[in-house]
Amino acid sequence: MPEQSNDYRVVVFGAGGVGKSSLVLRFVKGTFRDTYIPTVEDTYRQVISCDKSVCTLQITDTTGSHQFPAMQRLSISKGHAFILVYSITSRQSLEELKPIYQQILAIKGSVESIPIMLVGNKSDETAQREVETKVGETQATSWKCAFMETSAKTNSNVKELFQELLALEKKRDMSLSIDGKRSGKQKRADKLKGKCSVM
Amino acid sequence: MKKQFNRMRQLANQTVGRAEKTEVLSEDLLQVEKRLELVKQVSHSTHKKLTACLQGQQGVDVDKKSKKLPLTTLAQCMVEGAAVLGDESLLGKMLKLSGETQEKLAQELIVFELTIEKDVIEPLCDLAEVEIPNIQKQRKHLAKLVLDMDSARTRYYQSNKSSGLSSNLQPTGAKADHLREEMEEAANRMEICRDQLSADMYNFMAKEIDYASYFQTLIEVQAEYHRKSLELLQSVLPQIKAHQETWVEKPCYGKPLEEHLALSGRDIAFPIEACVTMLLECGMQEEGLFRIAPSASKLKKLKASLDCGVLDVQEFSTDPHAIAGALKSYLRELPEPLMTFELYNDWIQASNIQDQEKRLQALLGACEKLPCANNNNFKYLIKFLSKLTEYQDVNKMTPGNIAIVLGPNLLWTHDEGNITEMMTTVSLQIVGIIEPIIQHADWFFPGEIEFNVTGNYGSPVHTNHNANYSLMPSPDMDQVDRRQNDQSRRPLSVATDNMMLEFYKKDGYESNQLNVCT
């Protein structure tokens, strides 16, 4: 494959069952399955535009059910950007992200120039909400990262999540669209951006 | 007065060399005399240092002495500590035993020191402070007598000379006789004293063997003391070890399975049995059991309490994820995976077999090779997991799902070298091993098992939990169908397997470039 060195790697972390795979699948395939299958580790690729050319966006969907420190370290050291997912229906799942964030900080040294998104998934399940939006925002502020609430099920903010993440990367000029066809969609996405806040 | 004057004059004359001093002692004895002083000095300093070695106060009675001994106070402190902590606890037992031992050691020490004092220190002191000084006193006395004798002799000869010079007449009888008598008497006295002193000095020389024996005694007594102390310690040591070994409440996390089972006299590891029994009670219908992470603090608390062998069933029955997490941690923290390092290759090879029937046979073969303890616990766990899948409509944990989240805690390789590269592929292989075993649990392990082996945990109600077990003598079509369904329901994971392999392969030699790229 050409342009492998040009790959842009995004790693998705989060506790078991928060919807990491669902988010990724919704973004990559546009589908949502109400199945319940834990992930060992999956990687997906998508071609995106980058610096007036194209590059491959590589999304690594990690396991939330058992932490192998060595494995996690490898993923972090290879990743360019990170999505930290919790479920708004589980306070515990937000807690679980703290050691992962610390690990990223330890391996990367500083998070200043590294795009990180804190994501509260399952925003459709308002009845079971345990983590208020404010709590997520506060956490993101202290971690100096961006924050967004999403729902893979209702396809709310999923594309925006990835757009926002790419926009945070200052070293490259990246965009999800590779041709003019989707420009309309992107404008709509820009409007929606009001929902997410960059800290 | 006159005697003193005479002595002074004689001494003065001898010192300036005008008169000769009579040496009354033999050469041998003169040597002895020099030695006396040396022996005295040496004995004195040895006595002093040896006394300093004694811990007990000198000169007080035995009772008082033993009370003041540091060992005795240590013993008391330990025995008191044991009373505070209670004889039932291991620490209490140990303190009591050690305290009693210290007390006995103290008694030995007292006996030792008393013997040393009596048989070595006192005679040594006697030698340095009494015997030798006595001889030396006598030697001084003799010196005086010699002086007397010499002066009497001088005066006698002088009067003889002067009377002989002035007139050739016989010296005036009375004066001369008196002087001669004086001279003879002095010589006599000197002689008695000299003989006495010589006898004492020879005695001293002859007794050297006795003096030397003090040191033999010292070593013997010391040896006896140490021997007795050692005997004492050795007699206590088996008891101490027995206490340690019979204490069942030992940490089980991170300890080898065999060791834990042997120590606790169990067939099924305590954390496995406790967690499984509790989960049967309260966790079977929990969505994502073993998948969803428990609260870290709850997990830590539960693990610590399992390590102590105590369990608050009430508290944790509301938190099945913590229980599942504790079970996972136990399996993960075993020094060797439950499915063993030795059989790692057997398992992996079995999972690579394409033909389903043959694969199952190969897996069964590996299963049967497991050591007895591992086999028992593995069987117990698999039976439980198979039971868990009976509720998969509610808890969503299919055999495949359980294999994904639990498999890597059951088997791993100790080959750390390429662990990061291989982890994911290996994890997938392990899923391929565990999933069919859970699916065909009753074929792998025929018969029913009682989960609540020791009957210690949870409420007693669930004893017939396994009553509705359906026996499956061999892998039947139903199971195979279900497996295929599982696969068809998750085409993505399967589809991405190859992609992911590629990803890792590629990263192997792309990492340098990637670093530049960031």
Side-chain angles (χ1 to χ4, degrees):
Chain A
M1 273 201 219
E3 292 178 349
Q4 278 159 352
S5 61
N6 216 14
D7 280 8
Y8 190 74
R9 292 154 201 277
V10 174
V11 186
V12 187
F13 284 120
V18 297
K20 293 179 295 298
S21 303
S22 294
L23 272 176
V24 173
L25 286 179
R26 172 61 95 182
F27 173 68
V28 175
K29 313 236 168 199
T31 55
F32 180 79
R33 286 158 193 262
D34 213 347
T35 53
Y36 195 86
I37 302 159
T39 310
V40 175
E41 182 167 305
D42 293 334
T43 300
Y44 303 89
R45 288 204 176 79
Q46 191 159 14
V47 179
I48 57 166
S49 85
C50 168
D51 297 336
K52 288 166 190 164
S53 173
V54 287
C55 75
T56 308
L57 177 67
Q58 204 175 74
I59 303 167
T60 305
D61 180 16
T62 65
T63 177
S65 301
H66 38 77
Q67 269 90 41
F68 297 105
M71 191 66 180
Q72 216 175 61
R73 277 197 296 275
L74 183 76
S75 302
I76 293 172
S77 61
K78 290 195 170 176
H80 298 117
F82 302 94
I83 299 175
L84 307 181
V85 188
Y86 66 91
S87 162
I88 64 151
T89 64
S90 160
R91 182 173 296 279
Q92 175 58 27
S93 69
L94 180 58
E95 289 293 313
E96 287 284 301
L97 289 174
K98 288 178 181 170
I100 297 172
Y101 175 80
Q102 293 304 330
Q103 182 83 276
I104 295 174
L105 196 62
I107 290 173
K108 297 292 188 192
S110 140
V111 292
E112 294 295 324
S113 60
I114 295 166
I116 299 178
M117 291 290 295
L118 178 64
V119 176
N121 194 31
K122 304 195 187 176
S123 62
D124 56 296
E125 295 189 26
T126 41
Q128 278 87 46
R129 185 185 274 275
E130 266 186 31
V131 185
E132 293 304 321
T133 313
K134 270 236 152 62
V135 176
E137 280 171 357
T138 312
Q139 186 61 263
T141 313
S142 76
W143 284 351
K144 297 186 181 107
C145 67
F147 172 70
M148 203 178 259
E149 281 192 355
T150 61
S151 166
K153 196 175 192 173
T154 64
N155 198 9
S156 153
N157 263 353
V158 177
K159 193 153 205 143
E160 289 79 356
L161 160 67
F162 285 89
Q163 269 168 347
E164 177 65 29
L165 186 75
L166 296 183
L168 285 172
E169 179 59 81
K170 302 300 178 205
K171 288 174 199 149
R172 305 188 203 182
D173 178 22
M174 284 182 292
S175 145
L176 290 179
S177 53
I178 45 170
D179 48 23
K181 277 189 212 164
R182 291 193 195 165
S183 54
K185 267 187 186 173
Q186 199 176 348
K187 269 180 195 159
R188 190 175 59 97
D190 284 342
K191 277 181 211 158
L192 275 168
K193 239 181 183 177
K195 274 190 185 174
C196 70
S197 42
V198 188
M199 318 281 159
Chain B
M1 268 311 275
K2 198 182 168 204
K3 202 172 167 185
Q4 284 290 342
F5 172 72
N6 284 338
R7 277 181 193 166
M8 289 282 285
R9 202 174 59 183
Q10 182 67 24
L11 193 63
N13 283 340
Q14 278 176 2
T15 328
V16 295
R18 266 191 291 165
E20 249 177 61
K21 184 181 165 191
T22 318
E23 189 48 74
V24 290
L25 291 175
S26 68
E27 191 60 30
D28 282 352
L29 289 177
L30 286 175
Q31 288 295 324
V32 173
E33 191 193 350
K34 277 182 197 153
R35 209 169 155 71
L36 272 174
E37 185 55 31
L38 293 178
V39 171
K40 183 185 151 188
Q41 278 169 12
V42 170
S43 306
H44 181 77
S45 55
T46 310
H47 161 254
K48 221 164 122 185
K49 298 293 176 209
L50 190 56
T51 312
C53 285
L54 299 186
Q55 294 180 30
Q57 231 179 330
Q58 254 191 308
V60 288
D61 63 291
V62 180
D63 255 11
K64 225 176 181 177
K65 196 181 268 191
S66 86
K67 265 180 203 157
K68 291 233 168 135
L69 223 54
L71 264 182
T72 316
T73 50
L74 172 66
Q76 270 170 356
C77 166
M78 282 175 155
V79 172
E80 279 162 19
V84 172
L85 297 179
D87 285 356
E88 291 312 301
S89 71
L90 182 62
L91 210 51
K93 277 182 190 172
M94 284 298 188
L95 275 172
K96 187 159 182 266
L97 204 55
S98 308
E100 285 165 1
T101 310
Q102 299 308 319
E103 178 60 40
K104 284 178 195 158
L105 282 178
Q107 291 307 324
E108 290 297 336
L109 187 64
I110 290 292
V111 171
F112 162 70
E113 292 198 345
L114 281 176
T115 318
I116 289 289
E117 222 173 285
K118 185 162 68 73
D119 292 349
V120 182
I121 293 182
E122 274 174 24
L124 215 51
C125 176
D126 206 46
L127 177 64
E129 311 298 332
V130 183
E131 277 185 51
I132 295 179
N134 274 351
I135 299 176
Q136 285 174 328
K137 226 195 273 167
Q138 220 166 357
R139 177 71 182 95
K140 274 184 194 148
H141 188 57
L142 178 68
K144 279 178 197 159
L145 290 178
V146 169
L147 217 51
D148 284 352
M149 186 187 75
D150 283 351
S151 95
R153 194 188 291 148
T154 315
R155 272 179 284 130
Y156 173 67
Y157 284 127
Q158 272 174 351
S159 77
N160 258 1
K161 238 187 243 168
S162 58
S163 59
L165 273 176
S166 57
S167 60
N168 270 335
L169 293 172
Q170 283 290 310
T172 26
K175 177 94 191 267
D177 277 353
H178 176 72
L179 281 172
R180 201 179 64 234
E181 253 171 51
E182 212 170 79
M183 183 186 78
E184 275 164 6
E185 197 196 318
N188 228 349
R189 270 162 57 189
M190 185 280 297
E191 218 157 292
I192 292 171
C193 181
R194 187 192 64 193
D195 292 346
Q196 179 67 42
L197 177 66
S198 302
D200 283 352
M201 285 172 112
Y202 283 125
N203 252 341
F204 168 78
M205 286 305 283
K207 272 165 83 181
E208 174 138 353
I209 189 169
D210 290 346
Y211 304 143
S213 79
Y214 300 157
F215 296 98
Q216 188 188 339
T217 311
L218 171 68
I219 300 299
E220 278 171 357
V221 173
Q222 270 181 326
E224 181 65 12
Y225 160 67
H226 284 292
R227 201 160 31 236
K228 277 189 180 163
S229 301
L230 183 63
E231 266 170 34
L232 201 76
L233 292 174
Q234 274 173 338
S235 72
V236 179
L237 214 51
Q239 292 181 56
I240 295 260
K241 279 185 184 160
H243 275 318
Q244 281 286 47
E245 273 158 23
T246 52
W247 195 250
V248 280
E249 286 161 36
K250 276 191 182 171
C252 39
Y253 276 83
K255 290 282 181 304
L257 180 69
E258 296 266 9
E259 185 189 307
H260 164 66
L261 295 180
L263 285 176
S264 55
R266 296 174 161 274
D267 288 328
I268 305 300
F270 176 73
I272 298 183
E273 189 183 342
C275 292
V276 163
T277 318
M278 283 197 291
L279 286 174
L280 282 168
E281 188 76 359
C282 64
M284 302 305 272
Q285 318 232 336
E286 190 71 23
E287 184 181 306
L289 194 70
F290 291 109
R291 180 182 185 186
I292 290 168
S295 139
S297 57
K298 273 267 160 55
L299 176 63
K300 198 173 162 190
K301 181 176 167 187
L302 178 56
K303 277 170 66 183
S305 74
L306 285 169
D307 249 352
C308 300
V310 286
L311 201 51
D312 187 351
V313 179
Q314 288 302 314
E315 184 189 344
F316 286 104
S317 59
T318 55
D319 194 353
H321 294 305
I323 304 168
L327 178 53
K328 254 165 92 174
S329 288
Y330 175 73
L331 296 169
R332 183 71 215 171
E333 287 172 28
L334 283 172
E336 189 183 6
L338 192 58
M339 292 164 80
T340 75
F341 286 133
E342 205 186 322
L343 294 176
Y344 180 81
N345 286 330
D346 289 46
W347 291 113
I348 296 293
Q349 272 162 23
S351 75
N352 287 336
I353 298 172
Q354 291 300 311
D355 182 80
Q356 161 122 354
E357 198 73 30
K358 280 182 186 158
R359 183 166 70 230
L360 288 174
Q361 281 298 342
L363 288 174
L364 182 64
C367 243
E368 282 164 354
K369 278 197 215 164
L370 279 172
C372 186
N374 297 64
N375 191 297
N376 282 339
N377 284 272
F378 186 57
K379 172 183 173 180
Y380 182 91
L381 197 65
I382 292 295
K383 285 290 207 181
F384 163 72
L385 295 175
S386 144
K387 188 153 190 60
L388 186 64
T389 61
E390 288 173 20
Y391 300 85
Q392 59 180 277
D393 289 343
V394 193
N395 62 32
K396 306 207 175 154
M397 297 309 282
T398 60
N401 284 355
I402 294 174
I404 291 171
V405 296
L406 215 52
N409 299 293
L410 290 169
L411 184 62
W412 64 87
T413 169
H414 51 172
D415 183 12
E416 285 278 335
N418 53 0
I419 195 159
T420 41
E421 295 290 321
M422 295 297 291
M423 188 69 87
T424 320
T425 33
V426 167
S427 292
L428 284 169
Q429 273 173 311
I430 292 167
V431 172
I433 297 166
I434 307 294
E435 185 177 3
I437 298 180
I438 297 174
Q439 276 173 334
H440 309 297
D442 290 314
W443 181 76
F444 276 93
F445 302 109
E448 293 183 22
I449 71 162
E450 172 55 69
F451 288 112
N452 199 354
V453 183
T454 41
N456 276 344
Y457 337 94
S459 71
V461 190
H462 58 68
T463 35
N464 46 9
H465 248 299
N466 33 10
N468 55 352
Y469 242 50
S470 58
L471 273 169
M472 283 172 277
S474 69
D476 54 27
M477 280 311 290
D478 256 17
Q479 292 290 317
V480 177
D481 281 351
R482 196 193 280 176
R483 183 186 156 78
Q484 279 164 354
N485 280 338
D486 279 345
Q487 285 186 340
S488 63
R489 271 197 282 136
R490 42 178 304 210
L492 279 168
S493 285
V494 176
T496 51
D497 286 354
N498 290 331
M499 249 165 83
M500 188 198 51
L501 269 176
E502 220 176 76
F503 164 61
Y504 275 97
K505 250 191 272 166
K506 200 181 65 193
D507 280 356
Y509 44 83
E510 284 282 302
S511 51
N512 287 338
Q513 268 178 296
L514 277 169
N515 287 340
V516 177
C517 153
T518 39

